[in-house]
Amino acid sequence: MMIATACTSVSAQSDAFSYTDESFADIQMLRYKVEGFENLTLRQKTLVYYLSEAALWGRDMFWDQNGRYNLRIRRAFEKIYTSYQGDRESADFRAFELYLKRTWFSSGIHHHYGSEKFQPEFSEAWLREALKQTGATLDEEIFPVIFNPAVAAMRTNQRDGDDLVQTSAVNFYGPNVTQAEAEKFYAQRKATADPHPIMMGYNSRLVKDADGVLREDVWRACGLYGTAINKIIENLRLARPFCDTPKQQAVIDKLIEYYLTGDLRTFDEYSILWLKDTEDLVDFVNGFTETYDDPLGMKGSYESIVNFKDLEATKRTEKLSKNAQWFEDHSPVDPRFRKEEVKGVSAKVITAAILAGALHPSTAIGINLPNSDWVRKDYGSKSVTIGNLTDAYNKAARGSGMAQEFVIDDATRQLIEQYGDVCDDLHTDLHECLGHGSGRLLPGTDPDSLKAYGAAIEEGRADLFGLYYVADPKLVELGLTPNLDAYKSQYYTYMQNGLLTQLVRIKPGNTIEEAHMRNRSFIAHWALEHGKDKKVVELVKRKGKTYVRINDYEALRGLFGELLAEVQRIKSEGDYEAARALVETYGVQVDAELHKEILARYERLHLAPYKGFINPVYTAVRDSEGRITDIRVSYNEGYAEQMLRYSRDYNALPDVN
Ligand code: ZN
């Protein structure tokens, strides 16, 4: 990834709501709008309010999970930040402020994405002086943690050959526990055959006591992080009466039971109740969830999102699901590879109301839970896309200069401006609701026969299904696209991304490795090559800059259909050689000269490669008896202001846990 140097904040849009806020280091702060909140009933708004409170009370747990010194550093630094009387314009103070902003963003002193420790650009002497002046304190052992690059260098170290537990700063294991000890501890417990295995180690820290015995400190009401967990339980109890259905109350009851006991079997029961609850408008995730931060991939990082169904957007996915059979029957693939009877997956589109823990400020735009393999196999999972976050990214990208720099002409830019968002959402819906579910394997084909190329082929298949159908008159008939020109916006941006702009995420000299990037690359390059004779798509140079030019959109649709048929054949027959040839020929290699040009053009735009969100603020309006009469939402809290308020109002844990 490229690091853009600090740039001044992008100017606010003319309307009252601004999607972009300040930027610093490699970060651009954005805001999201909770569209439709005012249309919820008072009951639903109150439910969102208490679930949001529950979400935020878990924040300090995530900080502590990310490193055992994080809370102490944050508290001392926030005291300096709010009460320092020295020169706040000095280089040291400004470097200190930048360090604190980055630390807030990562919920700790390591980069949220790369995991490497931040190197402060203020001096240790300055920090000692500032601590003294403000009356803040910091244990002596913490200075090397901040200043010595060799101490706690990585939050999560994945380098093969290292002791991953000892060399990772995450606080999932006691300081004297080794990787071998942790692996042995869990291997012994996993040995018993269990058709419904719990997520071993999911909600605890593994520690070693004085006589060398390993045990788990479980994160539960009467255990580790108990003070935070009890605040979460308190707010779940306040939320419970405002659920729309008894089904959702049962979900909350089970979650409370799990937080009280820490029993992972109860957690599985909770997950099953949660994934089956698809009718309630308001929904939420609250708990120890994803395991990416643990080098051994077992411990769940705390996260929470509160959301409600986007009924308009979900209508869109329902229209597609209802017509799933029509799409299957009319697809350009060989009838032998089509499904005789398809069931559309109704993935819902949601509006995020609050993000917390591992989902804040940096976040995901889609969630598919639970993570337990046996629960997924026996009961399925709940899949959501977060519409208002995608929308915020799109709106923020508008002023970024990308379109000005990379789109060939004004007419195409206007097309994208007009239809880009609609067709982008539709392409995603077609990909998720129909694409992945379409087609079938021939009897006897091993589903794993494409091996390492399986993911790129599967993503390419879903993308091609979406590309082929986004241009279909059927979508106009269903009222999903406004006319027969709109799809061209999607064709242009897809080709531009696959041939040019996605290269900004690749370092010079590297090839394309990630499955989604490979699939976009092979689709775009295959279409470029196979439309060459008829000049369907071209790469043209103007004043030394390369652009995509699409001369014949209809012919391009024909090429996408042709490739869809071939990719479906590869998948249905399990043709490994053809998969390898397609991906390796068109999906992996990078033209070094073109890459250099794209990187240089991108760098001149000074865009921050990482983005995150400032949350909205919810305020309860109460009558004289203390009853809630309304919940108001506002969007004008600043980034530092929000972080400081969270630290003050959701101060759930002691310094050392
Ligand atoms: Zn996909």
Side-chain angles (χ1 to χ4, degrees):
M1 289 265 181
M2 305 226 322
I3 310 290
T5 43
C7 55
T8 50
S9 102
V10 179
S11 61
Q13 267 111 354
S14 50
D15 60 341
F17 188 87
S18 174
Y19 288 91
T20 54
D21 201 275
E22 66 178 290
S23 72
F24 52 89
D26 53 356
I27 305 292
Q28 170 72 56
M29 294 307 303
L30 306 176
R31 289 176 191 275
Y32 60 96
K33 205 168 187 173
V34 191
E35 214 82 60
F37 183 77
E38 49 307 323
N39 301 330
L40 300 181
T41 62
L42 177 58
R43 188 186 175 89
Q44 290 163 340
K45 284 183 189 174
T46 310
L47 179 61
V48 167
Y49 174 75
Y50 284 122
L51 290 174
S52 297
E53 289 292 299
L56 294 170
W57 274 109
R59 175 179 183 249
D60 282 357
M61 292 196 285
F62 183 55
W63 277 77
D64 194 70
Q65 288 180 318
N66 278 339
R68 59 181 62 87
Y69 305 104
N70 282 335
L71 286 173
R72 278 175 278 177
I73 294 171
R74 188 188 80 196
R75 285 167 181 162
F77 280 28
E78 285 177 348
K79 184 152 191 203
I80 293 174
Y81 185 68
T82 51
S83 59
Y84 184 67
Q85 298 293 324
D87 181 4
R88 296 176 76 96
E89 296 300 317
S90 71
D92 276 314
F93 188 87
R94 295 178 86 107
F96 166 80
E97 184 178 29
L98 181 65
Y99 182 92
L100 180 58
K101 283 185 175 178
R102 300 184 79 184
T103 301
W104 279 330
F105 193 87
S106 297
S107 304
I109 59 169
H110 298 84
H111 196 279
H112 73 287
Y113 190 83
S115 174
E116 73 280 4
K117 194 172 75 172
F118 299 131
Q119 270 314 299
E121 285 175 33
F122 51 90
S123 70
E124 187 172 336
W126 180 88
L127 177 62
R128 286 182 187 277
E129 185 53 40
L131 285 163
K132 199 153 63 174
Q133 200 218 85
T134 56
T137 53
L138 205 55
D139 299 337
E140 206 48 46
E141 58 168 333
I142 297 180
F143 286 89
V145 174
I146 298 170
F147 291 101
N148 183 345
V151 176
M154 297 289 281
R155 186 193 59 221
T156 306
N157 180 21
Q158 304 272 27
R159 202 170 43 220
D160 202 27
D162 291 351
D163 181 321
L164 302 182
V165 168
Q166 282 285 301
T167 56
S168 293
V170 279
N171 200 8
F172 292 135
Y173 304 89
N176 50 357
V177 177
T178 67
Q179 180 180 354
E181 287 169 334
E183 282 172 348
K184 193 172 153 214
F185 180 89
Y186 287 110
Q188 281 167 347
R189 280 159 183 76
K190 275 181 191 161
T192 52
D194 182 349
H196 301 148
I198 55 165
M199 303 268 289
M200 196 76 75
Y202 199 38
N203 65 336
S204 63
R205 184 190 296 158
L206 184 65
V207 296
K208 201 197 286 181
D209 47 22
D211 41 7
V213 180
L214 290 170
R215 69 181 156 77
E216 287 187 318
D217 273 348
V218 178
W219 306 324
R220 58 179 162 181
C222 59
L224 191 51
Y225 299 150
T227 46
I229 289 170
N230 277 306
K231 292 305 275 186
I232 293 176
I233 293 174
E234 187 185 314
N235 282 283
L236 289 173
R237 286 190 173 134
L238 289 166
R240 190 185 182 282
F242 299 96
C243 291
D244 275 331
T245 67
K247 216 171 168 178
Q248 190 163 48
Q249 290 186 326
V251 172
I252 289 184
D253 290 342
K254 212 31 125 181
L255 180 58
I256 291 174
E257 187 189 331
Y258 160 64
Y259 271 140
L260 286 170
T261 61
D263 185 338
L264 287 168
R265 290 206 188 280
T266 308
F267 178 74
D268 284 346
E269 289 163 22
Y270 153 76
S271 297
I272 294 164
L273 291 175
W274 175 82
L275 73 90
K276 282 184 176 170
D277 177 20
T278 51
E279 296 105 74
D280 274 291
L281 193 76
V282 176
D283 199 357
F284 72 103
V285 173
N286 183 308
F288 308 110
T289 309
E290 302 294 355
T291 56
Y292 311 121
D293 297 326
D294 174 11
L296 304 186
M298 284 188 293
K299 313 273 173 202
S301 296
Y302 173 81
E303 72 176 39
S304 184
I305 176 172
V306 181
N307 64 80
F308 52 92
K309 209 186 281 185
D310 178 340
L311 293 174
E312 253 337 286
T314 303
K315 258 185 226 155
R316 204 173 67 207
T317 57
E318 280 169 359
K319 259 186 200 169
L320 293 178
S321 288
K322 266 191 210 127
N323 289 280
Q325 193 64 52
W326 185 93
F327 287 100
E328 185 73 1
D329 294 346
H330 292 78
S331 95
V333 313
D334 187 324
R336 290 185 301 138
F337 308 140
R338 289 187 201 143
K339 269 204 181 92
E340 266 157 40
E341 205 182 320
V342 288
K343 253 186 100 193
V345 182
S346 56
K348 67 176 173 176
V349 183
I350 60 169
T351 302
I354 204 88
L355 304 165
L359 290 174
H360 185 250
S362 174
T363 186
I365 56 164
I367 296 178
N368 191 328
L369 289 173
N371 285 325
S372 160
D373 285 329
W374 80 264
V375 175
R376 293 172 77 90
K377 197 165 124 276
D378 289 8
Y379 294 93
S381 63
K382 197 148 69 176
S383 174
V384 300
T385 53
I386 313 172
N388 61 332
L389 299 186
T390 313
D391 186 51
Y393 281 125
N394 288 342
K395 297 262 170 50
R398 284 247 166 95
S400 71
M402 281 294 278
Q404 205 59 41
E405 177 62 39
F406 290 103
V407 176
I408 190 162
D409 53 32
D410 282 337
T412 312
R413 259 190 296 277
Q414 266 165 28
L415 191 74
I416 295 167
E417 176 77 21
Q418 204 169 354
Y419 304 118
D421 290 357
V422 173
C423 289
D424 220 22
D425 285 347
L426 259 182
H427 183 255
T428 307
D429 295 340
L430 286 163
H431 174 117
E432 299 291 350
C433 301
L434 301 179
H436 281 305
S438 75
R440 61 165 184 166
L441 300 182
L442 284 187
T445 299
D446 174 0
D448 294 325
S449 36
L450 304 182
K451 298 187 189 115
Y453 299 105
I457 290 290
E458 176 56 19
E459 291 309 322
R461 195 175 71 89
D463 260 4
L464 285 161
F465 195 96
L467 287 167
Y468 180 77
Y469 275 120
V470 77
D472 202 282
K474 182 77 177 176
L475 293 197
V476 184
E477 187 193 305
L478 291 173
L480 293 169
T481 42
N483 56 50
L484 277 172
D485 279 324
Y487 78 93
K488 293 175 183 170
S489 65
Q490 178 65 17
Y491 277 24
Y492 192 87
T493 49
Y494 196 94
M495 292 300 284
Q496 178 205 307
N497 194 28
L499 296 172
L500 307 177
T501 34
Q502 75 164 354
L503 292 176
V504 304
R505 296 163 68 183
I506 304 286
K507 286 192 179 126
N510 286 6
T511 53
I512 302 174
E513 299 299 325
E514 200 274 326
H516 295 81
M517 292 185 71
R518 281 185 165 188
N519 97 59
R520 290 190 285 262
S521 177
F522 87 64
I523 291 172
H525 284 98
W526 186 95
L528 178 70
E529 175 73 20
H530 286 72
K532 213 175 193 173
D533 294 345
K534 292 184 179 148
K535 292 203 161 137
V536 177
V537 183
E538 290 176 288
L539 284 178
V540 297
K541 279 237 176 195
R542 286 184 185 169
K543 292 182 187 159
K545 293 179 176 181
T546 309
Y547 297 91
V548 171
R549 184 162 72 196
I550 300 180
N551 298 312
D552 189 341
Y553 281 93
E554 257 174 73
L556 182 55
R557 186 187 184 211
L559 289 170
F560 287 148
E562 216 179 290
L563 185 56
L564 173 59
E566 170 61 4
V567 166
Q568 183 61 57
R569 182 199 66 75
I570 291 173
K571 169 111 184 170
S572 294
E573 295 179 351
D575 187 344
Y576 173 81
E577 263 318 307
R580 194 190 59 78
L582 182 61
V583 176
E584 290 292 343
T585 310
Y586 298 105
V588 177
Q589 297 308 320
V590 178
D591 177 329
E593 202 50 40
L594 179 64
H595 192 195
K596 211 170 121 191
E597 177 202 316
I598 300 298
L599 289 177
R601 287 163 70 187
Y602 181 71
E603 195 168 39
R604 281 197 294 274
L605 298 175
H606 294 295
L607 298 177
Y610 302 104
K611 294 170 181 68
F613 289 98
I614 300 171
N615 273 323
V617 182
Y618 296 93
T619 317
V621 183
R622 294 175 191 268
D623 65 14
S624 54
E625 270 124 72
R627 277 185 305 249
I628 292 179
T629 56
D630 197 12
I631 303 291
R632 298 222 174 107
V633 57
S634 64
Y635 302 99
N636 41 24
E637 191 169 41
Y639 172 58
E641 206 185 334
Q642 178 156 95
M643 289 296 163
L644 291 168
R645 179 171 66 86
Y646 285 175
S647 297
R648 187 186 68 228
D649 292 356
Y650 304 95
N651 183 18
L653 295 180
D655 281 348
V656 181
N657 294 277

